[in-house]
Amino acid sequence: MSNDAQAQAGTAEGQGPVEIDPELDRHLRNKREELFEEFEIRDEFPPEVRREAKERTEDVQAEIRDAVDDRRDLREMTTWTTDPADAQDFDDAISIEEDDEAYTLWVHIADVSHYVHPGSEMWAEAVKRGNTVYLPAYTVHMLPPILAETVCSLVPNEERLAHTVEMRLDKENLGYESIDIYKSVIESDERLTYSQCEKRLDDPDAPLHDEIALSYELADRMHEQRKEDGSLVLNPSRDHAHTIIEECMLKANKAVTHELMWGRGVEAMYRVHPQPTPDQWDKALREIAELDSVKIPGGSWDDPRKAVNAALEEAPPRMLNKIQRAVLKVMPRAKYMNDPFGGHHALNFDIYGHFTSPIRRLSDLINHWIVHENDVPEDLVELCDRASDKQKDAETAERLYKQFMQEVGLDPYAVNSRGLVVVDEDEDESDGETDGETDELDAEQFDAEQSDAE
């Protein structure tokens, strides 16, 4: 077997989907239905929502042509998307340039609020759902998939409506020299998977190599600066491609909510993450320090987040999960609030909120609408509570479903990365579905929001 074939065989794609028989498939389906009923998770879209979604995805190009005059035309700008290999929609893209004094970073997000807005059936349904629910090999979408897979998917070589966050970043300290948020029309040049992005970085002659290399230079600096400032980094081993997307999305999310708070002084759906008490942090650090082969450098104890980062970077891989669990046990749950008071402890941001994933999170969709309308829904506080509650429900359902999978002999992490296929041994036929688009930023179970990257 060649080196390339061996490498491919070790990947999720190379291993193929996890196979189950029809009886186990029936048990999984029954468990999902039980969880959906318990947590009021809406699996099917009502006919009026499906009908509205279908109508909004017709005559796409004509609508975009009509909208060009009222938007910033960025179709000639070099732009690309980076997503998991099994992604079904591509809702964020980036562009980058530099001069002697600054980087200019553009984060383009699918303009979902152009199609989904207060008064529409899809908006009302999104409020009921709160977010997309990701179970291993089964996704319950917040918005009808037809929307995400057509007009709100930034596919290459097709014009799309976007909401762009343009940031000019000082080369010396990476601070915002300017923030501009506007509606745009873009045309992505390429759709890359994470592994393709890595290969482009390694090949100086590859298309987009220079742009990707520049984006990684910036992202790596932003990542190191976050750690130095005290941002908790629970996953210390991200590859280059994930680092690019994670840091660019964090920078855009932060830019938008800073603009809303300081530039406009408006309420929005802010993400607030309270800090553990000193006793709770002390308990977590003592638990980490007692782990085999794990040390916390003496100079880092003053800031527990830096202490955890240091322990994770030095610890053997077998200890990473134990360190992460010690932290998760003492971390309060992050929540959505109409005021950013308290900031985001894990990220160490004074103001933070979500903007970059309006297809799968109600918070981002609402913030898109607030940014464009410069107005706030009358029921914003209720919407914040709703989004917080539904996220908790989704995470609990996911945990219980994974637990059930383990009880019936399935590895939920293998299923998450490889998908499922149903094999009837008698007929030797596949009836499989690999609806396995996973949220590659699985740390989103915890809001150290290295997860907010997508």
Side-chain angles (χ1 to χ4, degrees), residues 73-87:
D73 188 348
L74 306 181
R75 289 174 293 181
E76 297 303 314
M77 179 175 287
T78 300
T79 302
W80 72 97
T81 63
T82 308
D83 293 279
D86 64 347

Side-chain angles (χ1 to χ4, degrees), residues 65-347:
R65 281 194 300 272
D66 290 343
V68 167
D69 290 343
D70 298 323
R71 292 170 174 257
R72 205 83 61 91
D73 188 348
L74 306 181
R75 289 174 293 181
E76 297 303 314
M77 179 175 287
T78 300
T79 302
W80 72 97
T81 63
T82 308
D83 293 279
D86 64 347
Q88 298 162 11
D89 54 73
F90 321 115
D91 61 352
D92 57 80
I94 62 174
S95 306
I96 192 168
E97 293 177 0
E98 69 171 335
D99 57 35
D100 291 340
E101 288 81 34
Y103 302 98
T104 304
L105 173 66
W106 291 263
V107 172
H108 315 281
I109 307 299
D111 189 4
V112 181
S113 63
H114 178 81
Y115 304 97
V116 183
H117 45 76
S120 68
E121 297 288 350
M122 289 186 287
W123 178 280
E125 185 68 17
V127 169
K128 291 173 183 173
R129 292 175 177 239
N131 49 258
T132 293
V133 180
Y134 293 99
L135 303 180
Y138 198 91
T139 302
V140 182
H141 296 275
M142 183 180 81
L143 296 172
I146 187 176
L147 194 80
E149 293 167 11
T150 57
V151 294
C152 293
S153 189
L154 307 180
V155 293
N157 306 312
E158 290 194 30
E159 298 170 349
R160 286 289 183 264
L161 302 180
H163 214 156
T164 293
V165 185
E166 180 180 336
M167 297 160 278
R168 184 171 169 84
L169 306 173
D170 182 273
K171 269 197 172 171
E172 183 129 353
N173 59 26
L174 304 184
Y176 300 107
E177 287 191 356
S178 64
I179 297 169
D180 197 6
I181 311 166
Y182 49 82
K183 297 290 186 92
S184 62
V185 179
I186 70 164
E187 184 172 330
S188 174
D189 293 279
E190 281 205 66
R191 173 272 202 265
L192 300 179
T193 65
Y194 284 106
S195 58
Q196 287 171 335
C197 183
E198 291 287 328
K199 289 176 183 175
R200 297 292 179 91
L201 270 172
D202 294 336
D203 182 359
D205 298 322
L208 290 179
H209 168 81
D210 291 347
E211 291 86 353
I212 294 171
L214 180 60
S215 65
Y216 178 68
E217 172 190 308
L218 172 60
D220 187 49
R221 287 189 60 197
M222 290 193 295
H223 182 74
E224 292 304 316
Q225 184 186 69
R226 275 205 303 120
K227 284 199 300 185
E228 189 176 321
D229 289 345
S231 185
L232 184 62
V233 179
L234 278 188
N235 185 350
S237 57
R238 285 216 178 278
D239 58 31
H240 300 84
H242 279 89
T243 297
I244 291 169
I245 298 304
E246 176 180 330
E247 296 300 333
C248 290
M249 299 305 137
L250 282 170
K251 200 72 171 178
N253 282 331
K254 187 177 178 182
V256 169
T257 41
H258 268 253
E259 167 64 18
L260 287 172
M261 185 65 196
W262 298 125
R264 305 190 191 180
V266 302
E267 292 181 315
M269 201 174 269
Y270 297 101
R271 190 68 169 162
V272 175
H273 185 233
Q275 60 182 312
T277 66
D279 285 347
Q280 288 173 323
W281 260 130
D282 188 57
K283 178 182 176 183
L285 293 181
R286 278 190 281 109
E287 183 176 332
I288 292 168
E290 290 169 4
L291 292 171
D292 181 44
S293 304
V294 175
K295 291 184 175 60
I296 299 177
S300 65
W301 280 83
D302 288 345
D303 186 333
R305 294 165 295 195
K306 290 184 178 181
V308 172
N309 290 346
L312 284 164
E313 287 178 3
E314 300 297 327
R318 62 190 169 85
M319 287 293 153
L320 295 185
N321 282 341
K322 292 183 178 180
I323 296 172
Q324 291 162 350
R325 277 199 296 270
V327 175
L328 297 181
K329 282 192 292 188
V330 302
M331 276 290 171
R333 173 174 291 278
K335 54 191 173 182
Y336 295 105
M337 300 183 69
N338 64 322
D339 186 307
F341 178 74
H344 197 294
H345 174 68
L347 287 170

